[in-house]
Amino acid sequence: MDTRFDLFENGLATRFAKRFAGAALVIHDSPLPKSTQELVSLRVSQINGCGHCVDMHVKEAAAAGESAVRLHLVAAWRESTVFTEAERAALALAEEGTRLADASPGVSDETWALVRKHYDDDRTAALVTLVALMNAANRLAVITHRKGGSYEAGMFAAAVGD
């Protein structure tokens, strides 16, 4: 299926995208470890079935030195031994914060306690906003049928002038 609508060829959408990218840069420049940012972004994108964002975050993580083993195991992180306790807390928050309709209480108190155990206020703020931002990005790409496969590491940074 072809892309339905190119958000980058529409004036209104382009103005929105610049602000959206600005929000992403705030998170990117936060003290939340880059590896955690990519793992969380990848997991949210997997859950939402966003091929474009899965493609982007796998390639960005690999270019930043993330191992193939860890990238392959993100989808089954609960059944693996390659993630730290802090990363596991972040991945749990990513899942619960993405599957809101599937889990009526939203993010559990247990997951929230684990996040707060491992992340200070700035890292927690970055983590929460990252989950929200990735869910929004996934919806934009899925609604317009933006496909994965053509992304190259560094394209986002080049597009926003980072």
Side-chain angles (χ1 to χ4, degrees), residues 87-132:
E87 290 168 337
R88 295 171 74 75
L91 290 166
L93 181 74
E95 286 190 0
E96 291 176 23
T98 297
R99 292 183 164 144
L100 295 176
D102 298 338
S104 58
V107 175
S108 69
D109 290 339
E110 177 185 356
T111 294
W112 187 253
L114 288 171
V115 166
R116 295 305 290 163
K117 175 182 174 185
H118 294 287
Y119 298 101
D120 65 14
D121 287 352
D122 285 348
R123 287 171 181 84
T124 298
L127 188 55
V128 168
T129 56
L130 175 60
V131 171

Side-chain angles (χ1 to χ4, degrees), residues 22-94:
L25 286 175
V26 170
I27 298 165
H28 180 270
D29 294 340
S30 77
L32 185 66
K34 301 301 181 258
S35 59
T36 302
Q37 291 182 35
E38 292 299 340
L39 294 173
V40 165
S41 296
L42 175 57
R43 186 63 190 127
V44 170
S45 299
Q46 289 171 335
I47 293 166
N48 288 325
C50 182
H52 174 73
C53 294
V54 167
D55 185 35
M56 175 191 299
H57 294 291
V58 165
K59 290 174 180 174
E60 289 291 350
E66 188 62 70
S67 76
V69 170
R70 284 170 42 96
L71 291 173
H72 289 296
L73 287 172
V74 167
W77 66 269
R78 281 184 169 80
E79 302 301 323
S80 68
T81 60
V82 298
F83 301 104
T84 67
E85 283 186 30
E87 290 168 337
R88 295 171 74 75
L91 290 166
L93 181 74

